[in-house]
Amino acid sequence: MRGYRVTGSNGHSLFLPAAGYFYGTSLNYAGSYGLYWSSSLYSSNPYLAYSMGFFSGYVNPQNFSNRCYGYTVRPVR
């Protein structure tokens, strides 16, 4: 399975699958893109929230996107 492994300063890691995203009822880019929501709204515009994404070796750790997209949520405790 394609994805991205994130390792914390404590040495623990988690795997984020390249699950794609939903727009409406359509699943897009599954197996190619990983797009994940954070829990933070973009302060200048309530229709946006922070997210992170990756594809083909490129990682964008701090992006923001329209909240209408069905990005993956990965709960971490």
Side-chain angles (χ1 to χ4, degrees), residues 15-53:
F15 180 74
L16 302 172
Y21 68 93
F22 273 93
Y23 184 73
T25 58
S26 298
L27 176 61
N28 300 282
Y29 301 107
S32 300
Y33 283 70
L35 296 155
Y36 287 80
W37 286 122
S38 78
S39 61
S40 302
L41 292 176
Y42 185 66
S43 60
S44 302
N45 185 336
Y47 294 102
L48 304 175
Y50 283 100
S51 61
M52 68 88 61

Side-chain angles (χ1 to χ4, degrees), residues 7 10 19 23 25 43-44 46 54 65-66:
T7 303
N10 63 2
Y23 184 73
T25 58
S43 60
S44 302
F54 59 86
S65 301
N66 191 303

Side-chain angles (χ1 to χ4, degrees), residues 4 33-36 51-55 58-63 71:
Y4 184 71
Y33 283 70
L35 296 155
Y36 287 80
S51 61
M52 68 88 61
F54 59 86
F55 65 95
Y58 173 77
V59 178
N60 187 349
Q62 188 173 354
N63 193 23
Y71 290 0

